[in-house]
Every structure is written in C-alpha cells, then in structure tokens.
C-alpha cells in the first residue's frame, strides 16, 4: 500500500496519539470526518507559541507582540497560499466552518437576499450549511430549493441546473459529503450558478484534508473550512471570500480590532479581513493551522490521494462482502468515507462493539438529518479514513464488523 | 469479546431487541410522548392507557433505535402495567438512577428479572441515554396528561 514517495509508518510516527493502546488493542482511529489527529509539529507549534511567543497581536509596541502579530499574519498568508487565494486579505479566521457559514449568512446574506429570491442547497448538506440559510430565508421571506442525489449518492446535476434560475441569489453546496463521501464537481457547479448570476458558497470542511483546493480555479465566491479536520487545532477555521464581496459586507461581530475610529456619535470599520475579526482571535489556532498546512505541503499530495483511494477501495470491497451490509454512497471519485448500515444491528450497537476492539467510528445522523431521511435511515455507522490509516486497520475494522454480525445476526 | 461487552449485549437484551414486547401503536390512548435523542436521531414513541382507577393497564412503544433503547423500552412495557401513576413515577426514577449513577445501585437487581440485564449499560457512558430514552418518554407522557390525552 505504500509507495516510494509515501511511507505510512513514517507518517504515523509523527502522530503521538496513534501509538495509544487500550486494553491491549492499538487505537484504530477511523473518525477522521469528525476530526483528524494532530502531528507532533502542530502540537509543538502551539506549545512553542505559548512557551516562547505569546502576546496579543496588533497592539503592543514591544518585540513579543510584533513577533506574535507576524506569526498570525504569516499564518493568514499560508492559508491564502494553501487555497490559492489571490490576496491574504481574502482569508478570514473564524472558529470553524459553522461560524464561517453563519458569518456569510448574517452579513452578505442579510444585505443581499430579499423576499422573492431563492437559495439553492443540496440534500447532502451538513446542518451547518442548511440551518443558517433556513433561518435567513424565514426572516426575509425567501425560498430554499434543494437538489437531490442520484441512487449512488452523486449530486443530481441536471436537477441542480434545472433548479437554478435568475431568482437564485445563492447556491451553497458541499465540496465533499461527510456522509456519502461524494466529491461534487464544484467548478462545474460554480459555472452553472454563475450563469444565472448566483453567488456561490462551498463547504470545504471534508475536502481540504484530501487534496489541493484552488479557490481561483473553482472560481467560487466563498469557501469555508475548519482547521481541526486538517490536522490543526480545533476552534480555528477559515472563511475565504472574494475581496469585492468582502469589502461590501457589513461587519459580523463588533468590538476591538475591527474598528478604525470610534466615538459615541459614529464608528467606522476597518476593511477585510480585520472587519470580520472582532476581539482577540485564536492566535495559537492560526499558528497551529499554518503548521499543519506546512506539514501537508511537505508531502506528495498525489501519493497521499493514492494511499487514501487504495484504502477506500480495499475497505469498500471487504465490507461489501459482509452479509446484510449496505454502503451509502458509491459515486465515482468519492473520498475515503464509508457510511454503512447492517440489517441486523443498529449503528450505535455497531459503534459500541467496534469501540470494544478500539476501532473508533462515528454512529449517528452525522449532522445531516435531511440526507438521512433521503436515505431512509435514522442513522449510519461511518468509517472515515485519513493519511495515516493502514490496510491492517481496515482488516481490524472488518473483523470487528464481522463480530457485530456474529452477535446480532 | 470483553466481559463488559457480553454484559451489555446479554441474550436477554438481544432477545428483547429482536422480539420486543408491546411494540405497537395504541389507539385510543390516554398518554403519549416521544423520546428523542438529538445526538443520534433515535426516536421512540410511548403510548399508555389508564383504567378508571388511575392505574396504567397497557404501555406500548414504537420507534427507531438501537438494541439497548429497544430492549429497554420493551422491558419497560412489561414493568409498569397495573401500577398506579405515582408508583410508576417512583419506578421510573429508580430505574433511571440505577442506569445512570456510578454508585452501586440501591435497587436489588437480583429480584429484577429482565431489567437487571440492562445494568450492563452502566459501564458504557456513551450508551446510558439509549437505555433511559423510553423511561424519560414515559415520564413525560404521564406528566403531560392534559396535553396528550384524547
């Protein structure tokens, strides 16, 4: 499974948590869709910040604060480079994907979406890319349109195009489904949306850890993701927005760091990105995110993708062999996420039995209740693979699932 | 399989999961409430009918859930029939305490029959809510009589 340019053992050795053993069983961490583990270099970067570099940014007239400010600014530049943004001003630090979507809904959305217009979503969205729009739609009197999936879990592109119209103000869709693993043809979707004059927002939470993202090539207006699914700390996330849109957006939260001049008569605001980062930001999170991006940059992303694809193929093949097991989402080009159900056992029972083998998977609705309803399931079990998973771990997973069948079948 | 896991998935639990007692809609009913676990999306609806003397004479459930929540609901329906509302309220409190508190249970499990099999969940903090779901639902059903009574 490893190639000359990709040595999974050496990758694993950089993740301290992966050497954990519980009840004599090694940790098999297959919940990477929920969050990824952190390499030592990210842990060290955060730790180094607090031991050697900590100061508040943008205020101090002393060396430590200048250094912290530089690190924070460099982190923004790293992120801009990582997604190929044209300018680091287009990169806003948030708490995560959820806050990024909420920010756009509360600012751009409030100013630009009015009664009679429409918002286009897909049935495979995470709640974070549904509920903010639903709330906005309810308050301004717009309609949500929802694109369905086909039987293999791919987005119904014909319906996507059909549901777009000159009333569509926004098309918001996920890059990779956290349940189905489906990779959406985001560039094509953006083209279709733009042809109707719609603004586009892409939820990249599940995409960024699996391969390069180029926001200028995709040509989207907004792209959002979280650090913690990208080997970085939790509590840090990104909103990429095209400068032209950001500059016209009102502030989100109000307070320090985002103002120009404040008087009791009137306050003026700084431009992006500062306008959207009120208060002291998550400085160590940004630095940790930059460290994760640097770390990923040192790997051969084609080899990583090949490794993950091989794991996905192997695991899908092995799991499909198990009686009564159904995989939700088999679209070509999907990412290494396998949601499955068993005829004989509920996903929660599956997860408990897998946990006793120290195999960590997620069971539940994956914050995608509309998709669950569409699939006719109340929940699924989900194994999501990352860069550090191995063929041996796939074997552990399959053996544990077979044990479930033995017990419940 | 670990001892704790075999304790959780005893034959009694697996049996109730496969062939639950009283898994049906009651119509008409005196009480009804839905138990919903927003974390996993599991949903159980509990129905009960009362006789003229303030006792429950039938308790049933329907819904989607894991083996633990289904077995617990099934066992519950066999535990409460013929008891008065106040007896049942006390019983619900005792069972929820037994399932969710870390201390040794006050309940004498030796005399509890199938209910004792649910005690295995105490070692699985992530699953306690599955076991208590139907009991909480029954409690809301009988507490909100005016809302749900037909």
């Amino acid at each position: 499974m490893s190639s000359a340019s990709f040595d999974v053992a050496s990758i694993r050795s950089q993740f301290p948590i992966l050497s954990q053993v519980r009840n004599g069983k090694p940790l098999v961490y297959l919940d990477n869709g929920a969050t990824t583990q952190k390499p030592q270099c990210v842990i060290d970067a955060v730790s180094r910040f607090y031991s050697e570099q900590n100061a508040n940014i943008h205020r101090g007239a002393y060396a430590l604060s200048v250094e912290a400010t530089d690190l924070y600014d460099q982190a923004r530049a790293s992120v801009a480079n990582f997604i190929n943004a044209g300018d680091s001003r287009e990169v806003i630090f948030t708490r995560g994907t959820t806050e990024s979507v909420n920010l756009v809904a509360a600012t751009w959305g409030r100013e630009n979406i009015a009664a009679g217009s429409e918002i286009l979503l897909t049935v495979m969205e995470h709640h974070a890319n549904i509920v903010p729009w639903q709330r906005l739609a309810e308050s301004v009197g717009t309609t949500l349109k929802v694109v369905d999936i086909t039987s293999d879990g791919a987005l119904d592109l014909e319906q996507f195009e059909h549901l777009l119209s000159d009333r569509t103000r926004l098309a918001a869709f996920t890059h990779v489904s956290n349940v189905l693993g489906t990779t959406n043809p985001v560039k094509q979707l953006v083209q279709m949306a733009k042809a109707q004059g719609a603004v586009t927002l892409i939820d990249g939470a599940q995409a960024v850890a699996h391969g390069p993202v180029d926001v200028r090539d995709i040509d989207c207006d907004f792209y959002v993701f979280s650090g913690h699914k990208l080997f970085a700390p939790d509590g840090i996330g990104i909103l990429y927005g095209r400068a032209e849109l950001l500059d016209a957006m009102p502030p989100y939260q109000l307070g320090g760091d985002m103002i120009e001049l404040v008087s009791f008569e009137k306050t003026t605001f700084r431009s992006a990105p500062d306008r959207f980062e009120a208060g002291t930001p998550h400085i160590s999170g940004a630095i940790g995110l930059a460290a994760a991006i640097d770390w990923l940059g040192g790997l051969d992303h084609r080899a990583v993708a090949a490794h993950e694809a091989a794991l996905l193929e192997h695991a899908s093949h092995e799991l499909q062999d198990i009686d009564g097991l159904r995989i939700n989402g088999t679209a070509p080009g999907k990412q290494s996420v396998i949601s499955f159900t068993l005829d004989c056992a509920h996903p929660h029972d599956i997860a408990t039995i897998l946990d006793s083998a120290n195999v960590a998977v997620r069971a539940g609705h994956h914050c995608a209740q509309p998709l669950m309803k569409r699939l006719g399931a109340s929940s699924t079990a989900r194994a999501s693979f990352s860069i550090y998973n191995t063929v041996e771990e796939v074997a552990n997973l399959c053996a544990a699932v077979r044990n479930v069948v033995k017990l419940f079948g | 399989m670990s001892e704790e896991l075999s304790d959780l998935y005893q034959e009694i639990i697996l049996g109730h999961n496969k062939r639950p007692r009283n898994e049906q809609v009651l119509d008409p009913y005196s009480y009804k409430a839905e138990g919903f676990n927003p974390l996993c999306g599991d949903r159980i609806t509990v129905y009960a009918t009362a006789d003229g003397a303030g006792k429950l004479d039938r308790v049933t459930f329907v819904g989607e859930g894991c083996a633990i929540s289904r077995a617990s609901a099934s066992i519950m329906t066999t535990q409460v029939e013929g008891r008065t509302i106040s007896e049942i309220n006390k019983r619900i409190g005792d069972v929820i305490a037994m399932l969710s508190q870390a201390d040794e249970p006050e309940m004498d499990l030796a005399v509890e029959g199938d209910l004792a099999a649910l005690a295995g969940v105490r070692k699985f903090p992530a699953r306690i809510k599955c076991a208590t779901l139907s009991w909480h639902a029954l409690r809301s059903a009988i507490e909100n009589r005016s809302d749900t009574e037909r």
Side-chain angles (χ1 to χ4, degrees), chain B residues 73-106:
Chain B
S74 169
I75 292 167
M76 179 186 78
T77 64
T78 67
Q79 290 261 326
V80 287
E81 287 173 8
R83 299 191 192 214
T84 65
I85 299 289
S86 69
E87 284 170 347
I88 289 168
N89 259 325
K90 162 99 174 51
R91 183 77 181 149
I92 291 171
D94 290 348
V95 171
I96 290 175
M98 182 275 283
L99 293 171
S100 52
Q101 286 170 10
D103 322 332
E104 273 308 298
E106 282 177 28

Side-chain angles (χ1 to χ4, degrees), chain A residues 25 344 346 348-353 355-356 362-366 369 378-379 407-409, chain B residues 1-2 5 8-9 14 17-18 36 38-42 64-68 124 127 130:
Chain A
K25 297 177 179 105
C344 65
H346 186 276
H348 258 202
D349 298 313
I350 300 173
T352 295
I353 292 167
D355 182 43
S356 73
R362 170 115 186 246
H365 53 60
H366 315 293
Q369 286 177 8
S378 72
S379 60
L407 188 62
F408 279 82
Chain B
M1 196 161 62
S2 73
L5 198 61
L8 181 63
Y9 291 114
L14 297 175
N17 176 44
K18 264 195 180 162
F36 178 54
L39 282 178
C40 58
D42 284 357
E64 181 76 38
C66 61
I68 307 302
F124 292 83
R127 303 304 301 279
C130 310

